[in-house]
Amino acid sequence: MVRTLSTYLFIKRKLTPALLTDIARHGISAVEIFCAISHFNYHSSDVVREIAGTLRDQNLTLHALHSPAERDFNPMHESSAPLSICDPARVRRLEAVDEVKRALDVAEYIPFRYLVQHVGSSRDTLDERRFDAAFSSLEHLHIFAKARGVTLALENTPGELATPAHLRKFIIDTRLTDLRLCFDIGHAHIGDGVQASLEAMREFLVTSHIHDNHGMKDEHLLPYEGTIEWKTALPALPPNLPLVFELKEQPAYADPAPTSIPLSAARAAFDRVEEALSSSESES
C-alpha cells in the first residue's frame, strides 16, 4: 500500500515546501494536491516549479490533483460558490472548463496520473440539461487531459447528480471511454451505501478517497472515527486500488497548531488500515 495523502487536510493553509517536507517526514510517499488558489496557486508557474522541486527533493510522488471545485475559495468560510462543469449557463460552464484546464497544465511541470473531477455540487438536482452540459465539458476536457498524460477520474459526490449509478451510466451512454472513476467511500456511506456504490463503480475505478463519517454529513474523519464498517469495506475494495486519505483538519488541530498533530493522527490511521488489509489477506 502506497501511503497517499490528500492535501485537503490542510486546505485552510498554504501549501509550502515546509508543509510538504513535514508530510514526507511522517511516512507519506505520495500526495493528491487540492487545487484551491489560496492553498495551491496552480495559476503561478513559479509556485508550481517550487512545489515540483520540493516533491522531487522529498521523494514524494504526485499521484493526482483534485480539480478546483469552488470559485473564489475562502479559507475562512466553509464553502463558496461552486465551480461547475455541468452548469447549464454556458458562460459559467466555460469558466469552469478553463479553470480545470489551468489545473491540468500543472502536468507540464509535475507529471501526475489522475485529475479527480466533480461533475456537480450537492445542491444540483437531477436534470438532463446538467448531464448534457457535463458531456459538453468532458468531451473537451478528456482530450485536453489525455494530451498531458492525465486521466480524468469522476468522483461520486453527495446529492442527486453524481451518484455511483449515474456516473457509471454517464460513461457508458456518452462513450467517453477514457473517463474513469474515483470512489469516495465517505460520500458512498452517506449516499447509497458503501457496498452498493462500490459495485456500481468497480468497473471504472482507478483511485479513491478514504475517510469516515457518521452517515449524516461529509465530515472527512479518520478511518474508524465514524460509522463505516471498515471490517467489510476494506476487503471489498479492488486489491490494487490506490487508497488516498482525504481528511479534514479538525477544530482541535486548527491553525496555528503544528502540522505534526494531524499528520501523526493520519500516520496512525494508515498503520491501522494496513494492519486490517494484511489481516483480511491472510484470512482469505
Side-chain angles (χ1 to χ4, degrees):
M1 174 181 166
V2 177
R3 295 192 174 197
T4 308
L5 180 71
S6 168
T7 66
Y8 183 74
L9 177 60
F10 300 110
I11 191 64
K12 295 183 179 181
R13 308 182 190 224
K14 185 178 178 181
L15 186 65
T16 62
L19 177 52
L20 285 170
T21 299
D22 203 11
I23 287 172
R25 286 196 190 116
H26 282 79
I28 307 301
S29 302
V31 291
E32 174 183 300
I33 295 180
F34 200 101
C35 289
I37 293 294
S38 60
H39 171 64
F40 169 55
N41 186 3
Y42 52 93
H43 286 193
S44 169
S45 59
D46 289 341
V47 168
V48 175
R49 287 192 193 97
E50 181 180 51
I51 294 302
T54 304
L55 292 172
R56 183 174 57 252
D57 293 344
Q58 298 301 324
N59 200 27
L60 281 169
T61 299
L62 180 58
H63 168 71
L65 288 186
H66 193 300
S67 185
E70 295 179 354
R71 181 185 290 104
D72 301 325
F73 178 83
N74 186 336
M76 301 306 294
H77 299 122
E78 189 66 23
S79 63
S80 306
L83 191 70
S84 176
I85 63 167
C86 72
D87 198 314
R90 185 173 183 273
V91 171
R92 290 198 298 268
R93 182 173 71 253
L94 291 179
E95 178 190 0
V97 168
D98 285 344
E99 201 63 24
V100 174
K101 288 168 68 177
R102 296 289 292 273
L104 284 165
D105 279 338
V106 169
E108 296 182 12
Y109 301 93
I110 322 172
F112 61 96
R113 294 188 65 183
Y114 306 113
L115 181 82
V116 177
Q117 177 67 53
H118 289 185
V119 172
S121 75
S122 60
R123 289 169 277 184
D124 291 336
T125 57
L126 192 59
D127 183 341
E128 198 62 37
R129 294 178 306 157
R130 291 193 178 276
F131 282 115
D132 290 342
F135 173 71
S136 177
S137 297
L138 290 167
E139 187 179 30
H140 175 70
L141 283 172
H142 91 281
I143 297 172
F144 192 86
K146 188 174 182 179
R148 286 152 181 79
V150 178
T151 296
L152 298 182
L154 308 183
E155 177 186 347
N156 58 304
T157 53
E160 299 178 7
L161 197 65
T163 66
H166 288 152
L167 291 178
R168 174 186 172 82
K169 186 175 186 300
F170 178 84
I171 291 177
I172 293 171
D173 288 353
T174 61
R175 300 184 182 179
L176 295 176
T177 55
D178 291 331
L179 295 180
R180 289 296 181 265
L181 298 177
C182 170
F183 177 61
D184 189 300
I185 196 169
H187 296 165
H189 185 51
I190 60 178
D192 297 331
V194 172
Q195 299 295 339
S197 300
L198 182 59
E199 289 313 308
M201 300 175 71
R202 185 180 295 273
E203 179 183 355
F204 298 105
L205 288 181
V206 291
T207 190
S208 70
H209 284 160
I210 302 298
H211 53 98
D212 210 339
N213 60 62
H214 292 89
M216 300 297 291
K217 62 180 182 177
D218 197 17
E219 298 170 276
H220 286 267
L221 302 174
L222 291 161
Y224 300 98
E225 288 193 349
T227 55
I228 291 177
E229 292 290 341
W230 293 98
K231 185 176 181 179
T232 55
L234 287 173
L237 296 171
N240 296 319
L241 185 69
L243 305 185
V244 181
F245 279 34
E246 190 186 52
L247 309 170
K248 185 175 182 179
E249 193 167 15
Q250 301 304 310
Y253 306 154
D255 192 26
T259 56
S260 59
I261 296 176
L263 285 172
S264 295
R267 180 167 55 190
F270 274 116
D271 290 342
R272 188 169 182 182
V273 167
E274 284 185 349
E275 183 179 354
L277 286 170
S278 296
S279 297
S280 65
E281 287 174 3
S282 61
E283 289 173 3
S284 61

